[in-house]
Amino acid sequence: MSLPHYGDFGWDVEVLACEPDEESQNIEPELLTDLPADIPVSRVTPWSPAKTRRFGFGNLGWRSYRSLQRAGDELLESGRFDLVFFSTTQFVVMALGPRWLRKFGVRYAVDWQDPLVSNYYERPNAPPPPGGIKYAFARRFSFRLERHILKSAAGLMSVSPSYLDDLEQRYTWFGNVQTMVIPFGVSLRDIARATAKTTHEISPPKFADSAGVSIVYTGRLGGDMKTALHWLFENIARRRTQGLPVPLLKFYGTSYAPGTRAVCTTSELAHQTGIEDLVTEYPRRLPYYDALSKLASGDGVLLLGSTDERYSPSKIYPALTIGRPTLAIVPQHSVAHDVLTTFGPAVTVVSLPASENQLVEDPHNSQKLDQFLHRLHGRVPVSEGRFNPVEHGLDSSSLTSRQCQLFADCIRS
């Protein structure tokens, strides 16, 4: 989303990336059609995962590290670059930043889309960490890698202020790093392209008591979102028992697993609450434009928060920009809650307290859902208070402008 705008703010950009390989299940050629034709892209070929797995690893960052290093050396030897910007969740690749700084004197900035080190599994009542000894080793390595990356970084861009808070508490020297909180924004061009091909979905006749009304959720649906999902299903079941109209709930792209390995997340809970006939789920990952189109295909949009309160869903602003009535069920003290409650009538926010049972019994939250569904079944359009990303500086151009400000601070520091 940023690449089309860098030139507007005085930055010439070149991209260094990987060629797709047999592990690349989610290639989306359609995304490339929006990239400016004058931006050079250099691609490297990672080691084959079929070969590296014999040595115990298949991670793309490790498989591409050497080839990215060689290609980056060749580019930086030209002397035409002022800054290297790492925007990837393959954190091991960011270790090239200190190397290039030493060898070529070119400063680097990193995009902290997710935390490299998380204390999620160390919190009270958290589930046991996966992997046993492997998890312990990976966590120890992550601490060392994080320190190595950040110690000499000129700048860090984060989607969540809590990520910066954690780093400031961990490292006394972190104050020397230029930082800026820049959330996942929205491209108005992407929204227009996706909604142009949207056809409104009509609920099948068997869902008679849904009155043809549907609420759509797209994207990851992990175990950390089960509390929010449970509350929603319990309250939809309550409404059905009371003879009130209920919507059809549609979930798309809920699993990261490719193809037939994608598993439904909602089935068991929907069966337990007796609303399995109201729930449909397509767990296979959706291409980006298809996911946006699906959000626009329903009468309402659903956002679910994570029990990891620092988590900030990347689809918040695209969902609000689409203009459908939006229901968000999020932890009370989370980043997502703080963001969503600032947008007033554009979104109905249900606040999750600490206890799931307390949440189910909270009449105020249930009343919020009832009001939202009354509005939805009455086909009341979103007009007053409709979200405008440009007014809030959350469109892709405005956010790229802030990135460029960070870049300028990095090369001046």
Side-chain angles (χ1 to χ4, degrees):
M1 286 192 283
S2 299
L3 285 172
H5 303 293
Y6 283 129
D8 298 337
F9 304 106
W11 285 83
D12 294 326
V13 179
E14 295 191 30
V15 178
L16 178 58
C18 292
E19 289 282 6
D21 60 17
E22 60 263 41
E23 288 287 288
S24 305
Q25 302 284 343
N26 302 315
I27 298 301
E28 299 181 33
E30 190 176 8
L31 290 176
L32 299 178
T33 62
D34 282 338
L35 294 183
D38 59 344
I39 292 183
V41 180
S42 301
R43 294 189 179 274
V44 301
T45 302
W47 290 337
S48 166
K51 295 179 180 179
T52 61
R53 285 207 174 93
R54 290 182 291 180
F55 299 96
F57 68 95
N59 175 276
L60 177 61
W62 287 108
R63 292 191 293 110
S64 61
Y65 188 91
R66 288 299 181 190
S67 53
L68 288 171
Q69 174 189 305
R70 288 192 295 269
D73 284 357
E74 291 179 6
L75 288 169
L76 293 169
E77 281 174 352
S78 69
R80 65 180 185 272
F81 294 95
D82 300 293
L83 188 75
V84 176
F85 178 50
F86 293 92
S87 185
T88 175
T89 52
Q90 298 292 331
F91 288 100
V92 68
V93 169
M94 296 182 185
L96 290 168
R99 168 194 166 82
W100 288 335
L101 177 63
R102 289 192 307 270
K103 188 170 182 177
F104 302 103
V106 178
R107 297 178 181 183
Y108 66 95
V110 295
D111 182 4
W112 226 241
Q113 299 176 33
D114 289 312
L116 173 53
V117 176
S118 171
N119 66 347
Y120 177 74
Y121 293 107
E122 283 68 39
R123 297 175 190 173
N125 303 317
I133 295 176
K134 186 176 180 181
Y135 169 79
F137 173 81
R139 181 169 170 77
R140 189 175 299 112
F141 175 79
S142 294
F143 272 111
R144 294 174 66 90
L145 179 62
E146 179 184 79
R147 181 182 179 86
H148 178 65
I149 293 168
L150 297 180
K151 184 69 174 178
S152 53
L156 182 145
M157 176 177 115
S158 173
V159 298
S160 171
S162 63
Y163 296 166
L164 299 182
D165 293 340
D166 286 349
L167 294 172
E168 288 174 356
Q169 292 175 14
R170 202 144 51 229
Y171 305 115
T172 56
W173 43 261
F174 186 70
N176 297 326
V177 180
Q178 299 284 340
T179 62
M180 188 173 293
V181 176
I182 303 179
F184 294 116
V186 57
S187 165
L188 297 178
R189 182 168 55 183
D190 290 350
I191 295 294
R193 180 171 178 169
T195 54
K197 63 178 183 179
T198 296
T199 56
H200 192 82
E201 295 188 357
I202 304 299
S203 301
K206 71 172 184 174
F207 301 110
D209 56 356
S210 74
V213 169
S214 65
I215 300 176
V216 174
Y217 176 95
T218 65
R220 183 184 74 88
L221 190 58
D224 56 326
M225 299 172 175
K226 284 289 185 68
T227 299
L229 190 68
H230 193 183
W231 181 87
L232 176 64
F233 283 11
E234 288 279 4
N235 275 272
I236 295 297
R238 168 188 60 81
R239 286 180 59 86
R240 170 178 269 180
T241 301
Q242 295 172 348
L244 298 172
V246 289
L248 178 65
L249 304 174
K250 299 180 178 182
F251 297 85
Y252 296 97
T254 52
S255 172
Y256 284 148
T260 56
R261 289 163 52 192
V263 178
C264 289
T265 305
T266 61
S267 304
E268 182 178 354
L269 187 55
H271 177 74
Q272 290 174 1
T273 52
I275 64 167
E276 61 266 37
D277 62 315
L278 295 175
V279 178
T280 59
E281 180 180 358
Y282 303 89
R284 294 187 182 186
R285 183 186 180 278
L286 290 181
Y288 172 68
Y289 287 116
D290 288 351
L292 290 178
S293 181
K294 286 297 183 186
L295 280 179
S297 71
D299 301 287
V301 167
L302 175 65
L303 297 173
L304 297 177
S306 166
T307 50
D308 182 352
E309 295 179 344
R310 302 177 304 170
Y311 173 73
S312 179
S314 59
K315 57 181 172 288
I316 285 181
Y317 303 121
L320 295 179
T321 304
I322 282 171
R324 302 289 185 270
T326 300
L327 172 68
I329 308 171
V330 293
Q332 188 170 3
H333 302 292
S334 65
V335 170
H337 182 274
D338 293 344
V339 167
L340 288 162
T341 51
T342 64
F343 296 127
V347 58
T348 298
V349 180
V350 171
S351 303
L352 292 164
S355 166
E356 183 177 345
N357 292 331
Q358 179 186 352
L359 178 63
V360 173
E361 297 169 0
D362 188 338
H364 182 60
N365 280 321
S366 299
Q367 184 181 29
K368 283 185 178 181
L369 175 66
D370 291 343
Q371 291 172 347
F372 174 81
L373 292 177
H374 176 75
R375 175 183 174 191
L376 203 64
H377 282 88
R379 308 285 184 179
V380 178
V382 177
S383 51
E384 182 183 353
R386 182 166 178 168
F387 176 76
N388 184 332
V390 177
E391 291 179 0
H392 295 280
L394 292 165
D395 60 296
S396 55
S397 178
S398 298
L399 294 178
T400 304
S401 172
R402 295 180 60 194
Q403 287 182 41
C404 292
Q405 179 185 334
L406 175 65
F407 298 164
D409 291 341
C410 288
I411 62 176
R412 283 196 301 261
S413 62

